Amino acid sequence: MAPTPAYALIATDLDGTLLRGDDTVSDRSLAALARVARAGARHLVVTGRPAPRVRPLLADLGSAGLAVCGQGAQVYDAGTDRLLWSVRLDRELAETALGKIEAEVGQVYAAVDQDGVDGLTLIEPGYRMPHPTLPAVRVARRDDLWSAPISKVLLRHATLSDDELAAVARAAVGSLASVTMSGPGTVELQPCGVTKATGLALAAERLGIAADRALAFGDMPNDIPMFDWAGRGVAMANAHPELKAVADEITLSNEDDGIAVVLEGLFPTD
C-alpha cells in the first residue's frame, strides 16, 4: 500500500508563485503537480484573478476541479463552469471608499472585476493594467465601472508605492471594504471580511480536507490569511517581506521552480 502523502491539499497562488513572468507554468512544475495528483492529493489554485481570467489557465493545467478566485470572493468549479460561491462588493460602498481614499491622496485610477463566470474587467481612463496580457475593457468615465455587479476594485496611484497606497486605503476605508495587495501595481478593495482563507476554507470543506492537511504557496501579503489557515505556508524567494515574515519555509523563486523543489521533496517518485 502506498504511503499517505504528508499533505492532502496543495494550494498555490498564481502570479509570482506558480506562474512565471510570461504567464506560463514550467514543465518541471507541471511534472511536480502531476506527481501530487498520482499520490492522491489535490491541487487547488487560490488567486486574486477573477474566474474568467483563470479559466484558460485551469485548462492548461488540465484541471476540472475547484479554484478559489477573486481573492477568495469566488469558488469556481471548472468542471461545470459555474460559481459555487460568490460574494459581491456593494457598488455604493466601493464608490464611497474610493472617495475617502482620494480625499487623502488625491486622484487614484480604478478598475473593477465584474462578478460572474463571464464578468469583464473594466478600467477607467488613466488606469494601467499590471498584467498587460489580461483582457480589459476601457470605459469612458468612472460611473461606467458600476454598470454591473462587481467582486472587487483595483487601484493605482501616480506616485505612491503599493505599500503606501495600501496603508492609506486601509486607514481611509475602515470597515467599508477589505484592502489587499496582491502584486506589483495591484492594490485592491474587496468585500469586508473576505480573504483567500475564507474561499480556501469553503473549497477545502467541500473536498473534505482539513486545514492541517493543506500546504500553501504564495508571494504577496494577500496570501497571509491563506498561510494562517493552512497547516504550512511556503513563501517564494521573490515574496514580499510581510509574507516571508510569517512563512514556515522559503523556497526558490517562481522563475526557479520553487514550488516544484518543495513538492519533489514531499511526494515520492513513481
Side-chain angles (χ1 to χ4, degrees):
M1 181 181 296
T4 301
Y7 295 99
L9 179 62
I10 308 301
T12 66
D13 174 47
L14 287 178
D15 297 290
T17 303
L18 181 61
L19 296 180
R20 297 179 291 190
D22 61 359
D23 268 10
T24 63
V25 182
S26 73
D27 289 341
R28 184 177 177 184
S29 292
L30 288 172
L33 292 173
R35 182 184 296 192
V36 165
R38 288 193 296 271
R42 303 292 293 267
H43 171 226
L44 191 65
V45 165
V46 185
T47 178
R49 295 192 186 197
R53 307 289 88 80
V54 176
R55 186 189 290 125
L57 290 167
L58 294 176
D60 291 344
L61 291 169
S63 175
L66 304 183
V68 177
C69 308
Q71 303 294 6
Q74 301 172 328
V75 177
Y76 172 67
D77 184 346
T80 60
D81 190 30
R82 65 190 182 98
L83 291 174
L84 303 182
W85 186 74
S86 179
V87 180
R88 295 173 175 175
L89 176 59
D90 182 274
R91 285 169 281 178
E92 289 187 9
L93 289 182
E95 194 168 17
T96 299
L98 280 178
K100 287 180 174 293
I101 294 168
E102 289 187 321
E104 298 295 328
V105 298
Q107 184 175 17
V108 298
Y109 301 102
V112 300
D113 285 335
Q114 293 180 331
D115 188 39
V117 294
D118 295 312
L120 301 173
T121 297
L122 305 181
I123 58 178
E124 72 174 351
Y127 184 88
R128 180 168 53 87
M129 286 290 288
H131 298 286
T133 60
L134 295 181
V137 176
R138 189 170 296 280
V139 296
R141 54 200 180 94
R142 178 169 292 178
D143 285 351
D144 296 330
L145 297 177
W146 322 122
S147 61
I150 63 173
S151 60
K152 65 179 179 179
V153 178
L154 302 90
L155 306 175
R156 303 198 75 162
H157 191 272
T159 59
L160 292 180
S161 70
D162 297 331
D163 290 288
E164 291 168 336
L165 179 57
V168 170
R170 288 190 188 100
V173 307
S175 62
L176 292 176
S178 291
V179 179
T180 61
M181 182 168 52
S182 61
T186 314
V187 175
E188 302 177 355
L189 306 179
Q190 61 194 73
C192 191
V194 171
T195 68
K196 282 190 174 185
T198 57
L200 178 54
L202 285 169
E205 182 180 13
R206 194 175 185 91
L207 296 172
I209 300 174
D212 63 357
R213 300 293 312 285
L215 173 66
F217 292 88
D219 74 309
M220 291 299 291
N222 65 321
D223 294 314
I224 291 175
M226 179 168 69
F227 278 25
D228 290 341
W229 179 86
R232 187 169 184 83
V234 181
M236 314 305 290
N238 50 286
H240 191 282
E242 288 183 19
L243 187 68
K244 286 183 175 180
V246 301
D248 298 299
E249 179 182 350
I250 298 174
T251 186
L252 300 181
S253 73
N254 61 318
E255 300 291 346
D256 294 320
D257 295 310
I259 287 179
V261 169
V262 175
L263 295 181
E264 288 164 359
L266 288 172
F267 292 86
T269 57
D270 298 331

